[in-house]
Amino acid sequence: FAAEGPVFCSGHDLKELSSEDDVKHHSQVFELCAEVMTLIQKLPVPVIAKVNGLATAAGCQLVASCDIAVASEKSQFATPGVNIGLFCSTPAVALGRSLPRKVALEMLFTGEPLSAQEALMHGLVSKVVPEDRLDEETTKISQKICESSKSVLALGKATFYRQMTQDLDAAYKMTTQVMVDNLTLRDGQEGIEAFIQKRKPVWSH
């Protein structure tokens, strides 16, 4: 995900949330947003946020929902809903799963932004680079991912998010079986054979 202009994403259009529309409309707006955020994690490919500017409210939620986020040094991240009387409760779902609780709650309670470096320090973004290197760095990560097997990546991503919701024993039990299943994939065997034979793997995709 990328954007043009000084704002990465400012979240919902507040005009859609005025009293001119009814509760049913408001529900549809938030349900669609939640669907988009959860679909990102259900996609079989990694999703990268390339942030160059301000990401607020649902825009900050979008960054937190992506698998990887690369930000320019000028980027900022905030959940300022509390300041206009609409607490960022749905963004809090993604923030609370990406940031330490006290950092997330300070953002949610005050609406004050995190700098790119603070976002990196607390785990909201993966990497911070100068603005003129943002495209290059994001492309570099994308290309590295594309060198891997699509089926292995899909299995790995789905498994990662599944195990994150489980306790330690259940997570190890489930992922142990997934490792066994991974070996039965054509690309699982191809990768091991290529490593042993000291050659580049030829993936099935």
Side-chain angles (χ1 to χ4, degrees):
F1 285 110
E4 293 179 0
V7 175
F8 171 74
C9 181
S10 57
H12 292 289
D13 179 353
L14 295 180
K15 290 174 187 169
E16 285 191 338
L17 304 176
S18 72
S19 59
E20 291 175 16
D21 293 304
D22 60 14
V23 171
K24 183 181 177 186
H25 172 78
H26 295 159
S27 294
Q28 288 172 339
V29 168
F30 291 117
E31 285 166 8
L32 180 61
C33 181
E35 185 181 351
V36 169
M37 300 302 168
T38 54
L39 278 173
I40 289 169
Q41 293 185 358
K42 291 175 183 173
L43 285 172
V45 293
V47 178
I48 302 172
K50 181 172 76 172
V51 187
N52 189 28
L54 188 61
T56 63
C60 189
Q61 178 185 7
L62 180 61
V63 174
S65 298
C66 287
D67 302 313
I68 296 171
V70 184
S72 69
E73 291 170 333
K74 74 175 190 181
S75 298
Q76 290 188 305
F77 307 84
T79 47
V82 68
N83 298 327
I84 59 160
L86 182 63
F87 197 87
C88 286
S89 293
T90 48
V93 175
L95 278 186
R97 286 161 169 74
S98 297
L99 292 165
R101 182 178 301 182
K102 289 176 176 59
V103 176
L105 286 171
E106 183 179 344
M107 288 181 72
L108 292 160
F109 290 158
T110 68
E112 288 297 304
L114 289 183
S115 68
Q117 286 298 333
E118 288 171 323
L120 176 65
M121 178 174 68
H122 296 304
L124 182 58
V125 299
S126 325
K127 195 168 281 193
V128 173
V129 296
E131 185 178 4
D132 62 0
R133 283 192 43 227
L134 184 60
D135 286 342
E136 174 193 343
E137 192 60 39
T138 309
T139 301
K140 182 177 159 188
I141 293 169
S142 304
Q143 289 174 338
K144 181 62 182 170
I145 290 169
C146 288
E147 291 174 9
S148 297
S149 160
K150 190 175 178 182
S151 59
V152 170
L153 282 169
L155 178 64
K157 176 175 172 175
T159 304
F160 177 84
Y161 286 112
R162 271 177 62 204
Q163 65 86 20
M164 287 293 287
T165 64
Q166 299 176 338
D167 66 45
L168 194 65
D169 289 340
Y172 270 120
K173 184 175 182 181
M174 187 268 289
T175 56
T176 297
Q177 183 57 52
V178 171
M179 299 278 306
V180 173
D181 295 342
N182 194 154
L183 286 172
T184 68
L185 293 178
R186 180 174 160 189
D187 282 352
Q189 285 303 310
E190 168 60 16
I192 291 171
E193 286 172 17
F195 180 82
I196 292 168
Q197 295 168 9
K198 295 183 171 53
R199 62 173 174 82
K200 197 171 179 179
V202 180
W203 306 124
S204 60
H205 69 265

